[in-house]
Amino acid sequence: MERAPQTILFLLLLVHFTVAQNANKTGVVDGFPVGVILDLQTMVGKIARTSILMALDDFYAAHTNYSTKIVLHIRDSGSNNVQAASAALDLLENHNVQIIIGPQTSSQASFVSDLGNRSQVPVISFTATSPSLYSASLPYFVRATLNDSAQVQSIACLIKTYGWREVVPIYEDTDYGRGIIPYLVDALQDIDARVPYRSVIPLSVTSEEISQELYKLMTMQTRVFIVHMSSTLAASLFTKAKEVGMMSKGFVWIMTDGITNIVDSMSTSVVEAMNGALGIQFYVNNSELDSFTIGWNRRFQIDNPNDPPLKLSIFGLWGYDTIWAVAQAVENVGVNNRTSIQKPSVARNSTSLENMETSVYGPELLKVILRNKFRGKSGYFDLSNRQLQVSTFRIINVFGKGWKDIGFWNEGNGILRQLNLGKSTTKYADSVLDLNPVIWPGKSTEIPKGWEIPASGKKLQVGVHKSAYKEYMTNQRDPITGATKASGFSIDIFEEAVKRLPFALPYEYVAFDTSRDTSTGSYDDFVHQVYLKKYDVAIGDITIRHSRMAYVDFTVPYTESGVAMIVPSKGTVDKTWIFLQPLSRDLWVATISMFFYTGCVVWLLELLGNKRNVREPIPRKIGIAIFFSLFGDNERVERILSRIVLIVWVFFFLILSSGYTANLATMLTVQQLKPTINSIDELRKSGENIGYHDGSFVKNLLEDLNFNTSKIKAYDTPDDFYNALSKGSNNGGIAAFVHEVPYIKLFLAKHCKEYTMVGPFYKTAGFGYAFPKGSPLLGDISKAILSITEGDIIMQLENKWIGYQNDCKSVDSAVGTVSDPDKLNVDSFKGLFILTGVASTSSLLIAVMIYYYEKKKSMTSMQPDQNGEGLEENHKPQEVNEGDREEENNQPGASTGQSGQQQQQTGAREMSNINLQTSSVRRNSSIFIWHERNLGARVAPISSSSHF
């Protein structure tokens, strides 16, 4: 189809070619013939003509010793493809041109390059930028300019920097206009930007038709436009855009380099109409062109005395450098006066075009031109790839009667704020804040968001439905106004998000009515309405699923995710012996052992310090030991070591009893929440009935998990599956109900005492809102939802709509798989066992050492005197009655000395008895010692040291 216009042109030119072929040729032309085809009545054509003529003069002025000289044959195409082709045939047949410079437009170059291939004459265009021209089928076509596709990355990078999500290209209906679109769309898709509409402007368009197209664009949400067309058509477009109010605040206009490169030569009124627009422009270091520009301006006035002055553009510089490249190639090839045209043999039935003569110098000239590299007026001029290489683009902002820089772009670094050829002060633009400030349309300094709800358009259509859970979503129609009113948790989240948007967003609710269509009323059908463009957004308790994202986009979730089971809760352990469960068996054994060990240690400590306990019977001793282990007051525990042991034991006992009490309370609570089914696999193997909410994706999930379809039952409302759970699977009900976690929490808020949750066993993304693919609202709404879920508002809304009922104050305790608490074991109290054991054992060892020390000391004090007699008599208690004493006292004389001696012996025996009794005192304070047998009277108090 693309070659059809060219075929027509060939047929139209057959007559002309036949005449030209038979025309009389003059003799050898003085100089090397080079053809030039331009649209001389256009702005670019006039600039290019002056640049070409000036380049020819400058080249030979700089190379006076060259033996060759090119002669230019300039033709005007009149902006007509047929006329451009006719001019090319004339140059080839009548003037034997060996190189054709031009033509100016891509459509003209497409046909002329075919003629160049047939005649092997290089065709060099510095204005034809369509990507379709760069093809292996056109080996003799050379583009001395940039491919239009080279700038699409800079445009995409600019759009990404400002965060715009939708773009509408406006382009002319020509090869030039259409050629860039596939590359532009691909570049935008790489940055997740969408092209919802393409505005195509014919070359024959009228002002009224332009206005109608602009009004159509105003009814759309997108406010970012990329303009790619000729400068003449662009001038009409921007003038009309200003008239209809599209050059005001909120709009974004981006121009390609075909317009921006010659913006300096446009009229003041057109530039003022473009105020606020951005543009991509080939970067040239103008500081090096000051003197050249002065000479060029003087030459332009000479060549065009009746035209207003124009400013030198990049197309003029490329034309200048092209002439230098061609002139140098002609000199390098070494052209002489030999015949430069080779005539093919003519067949009898051949056509005229088939008999086209071929150039002798063409192939060699093409090779030399492609090898020639130099720094020209436009920069580094390298055609080795049959087109100029991508360099640096300047991003400009049209303002006032001119423009200003806002940044630069090159392939290696992306967008730059400042460009320094020495790369010493290059600054990268990580965000819009790093770019130079922009004056947007309407003289606004606020960055446009890139889209807007049209004031004359309809409000945002928000689809709502009736959820089985009214707490999440419900709607009803106002009987008076007929408007749909919606309420619920999902509605409040959406309305709060809209309030947080940095712009006003008018909207209205539209109820999902299944009675008017063939949909089943499922959530998939509800979301599909967005894809069908019945809604601009669908809100509610919509689960974000991969299958749904194939045709819609979702916001970030505003609830938690997952699929779990609701099962009855029931205790599974006999509570008769549950008091034994908090402690493990080894801890019970260790505690009882420590109990008896501590009692024995305390009893031994008291025994070693109290001689009276020796004569007590064995059962009483055991009772005392047990009593000491549990109690041990000041009346029974007398030794300090015993008290230390009991203090450590009481501390150990308090810690152990606290842990026992806490673990027992947990066990009693957990047993109430113990699920009857512990996993989804257990439920599948049991073969019991399982329920799900009708219309939910859970049915497909259960089938994927290999559940028997006859066991899967659907229910519409929470009351329905509550009754089914109450019946049980054996009575026609269900054993478990599979649902999403947000719904389960809502259910458990009412029935936490009877049911619990097992899972989640399947991960989902949660609830979100569905938008059309590439909706510009998606990012703003998602940001607003994040600000809600990260703050206190989400908790307030949950308490409002999902408040606890029926004394279910802690629904979270009923959520999740309930497991038995771990029993306390010896490792939990290892430190206490070590502390108690060390305290008891060390106290016992100290008491034994004290006991043997005092025993040894007592035996030392009872050693016999030197005579070794009467020791036992001295220590043996004697009873003296009153009669004996009187008889002794009545004896005269000699008996007096004997009586005194007896009294001394008696006193010695009394002191010995007192010393023996003092060694067995057990109290810390002063005590009284009675010696009833020998003294018969109270002895004075004796102070003793503290006993251990």
Side-chain angles (χ1 to χ4, degrees), residues 84 178 194 213 222 373 412 419 508 526 567 657 771 799 816 860:
R178 293 186 298 268
R194 180 170 167 264
E213 182 66 18
T222 308
K373 302 175 183 179
L419 183 66
E508 62 181 359
F526 177 54
V567 298
S657 60
F771 281 86
N799 293 334
T860 302

Side-chain angles (χ1 to χ4, degrees), residues 111-285:
F111 181 72
V112 173
S113 60
D114 277 339
L115 295 178
N117 288 342
R118 291 175 181 269
S119 60
Q120 296 184 3
V121 172
V123 177
I124 307 174
S125 175
F126 53 87
T127 54
T129 58
S130 175
S132 61
L133 293 174
Y134 185 73
S135 172
S137 62
L138 301 174
Y140 280 86
F141 176 77
V142 179
R143 194 200 316 268
T145 181
L146 293 181
N147 191 327
D148 274 338
S149 62
Q151 61 182 317
V152 297
Q153 293 298 331
S154 61
I155 296 174
C157 191
L158 181 65
I159 291 172
K160 182 180 180 181
T161 301
Y162 283 99
W164 298 316
R165 297 294 303 278
E166 282 193 354
V167 178
V168 172
I170 306 176
Y171 57 95
E172 65 179 42
D173 191 15
T174 61
D175 290 343
Y176 165 71
R178 293 186 298 268
I180 194 177
I181 298 303
Y183 301 91
L184 179 62
V185 172
D186 290 343
L188 294 175
Q189 287 179 348
D190 291 341
I191 61 169
D192 294 328
R194 180 170 167 264
V195 179
Y197 177 75
R198 302 180 187 185
S199 178
V200 184
I201 309 296
L203 289 179
S204 59
V205 68
T206 63
S207 298
E208 184 62 26
E209 290 173 339
I210 293 178
S211 298
Q212 291 177 0
E213 182 66 18
L214 292 175
Y215 280 122
K216 182 179 179 180
L217 295 176
M218 290 181 66
T219 62
M220 301 178 184
Q221 291 186 1
T222 308
R223 290 292 181 265
V224 181
F225 307 105
I226 298 176
V227 182
H228 179 66
M229 56 184 60
S230 65
S231 58
T232 304
L233 191 57
S236 301
L237 177 71
F238 279 101
T239 302
K240 283 296 179 183
K242 184 176 181 181
E243 291 179 5
V244 301
M246 294 184 68
M247 298 303 296
S248 58
K249 181 179 179 180
F251 288 89
V252 178
W253 295 86
I254 301 175
M255 301 178 294
T256 59
D257 62 352
I259 305 170
T260 313
N261 285 336
I262 57 174
V263 69
D264 291 330
S265 298
M266 291 184 174
S267 65
T268 304
S269 61
V270 173
V271 174
E272 290 178 348
M274 292 178 174
N275 269 206
L278 303 179
I280 304 298
Q281 186 182 84
F282 186 84
Y283 172 73
V284 178
N285 190 359

Side-chain angles (χ1 to χ4, degrees), residues 458 461 510 517 528-536:
K458 63 180 181 179
Q461 302 296 290
V510 181
D517 50 41
H528 195 66
Q529 306 305 307
V530 178
Y531 175 75
L532 298 177
K533 297 185 178 180
K534 291 185 178 181
Y535 309 139
D536 296 318

Side-chain angles (χ1 to χ4, degrees), residues 565-604:
M565 295 189 302
I566 302 174
V567 298
S569 59
K570 179 183 178 181
T572 58
V573 178
D574 186 5
K575 295 184 179 180
T576 303
W577 301 101
I578 196 173
F579 69 90
L580 297 176
Q581 298 299 318
L583 306 183
S584 62
R585 180 180 299 178
D586 57 346
L587 183 56
W588 277 115
V589 173
T591 303
I592 294 173
S593 301
M594 182 60 69
F595 170 77
F596 282 106
Y597 177 71
T598 303
C600 292
V601 169
V602 175
W603 174 68
L604 288 174

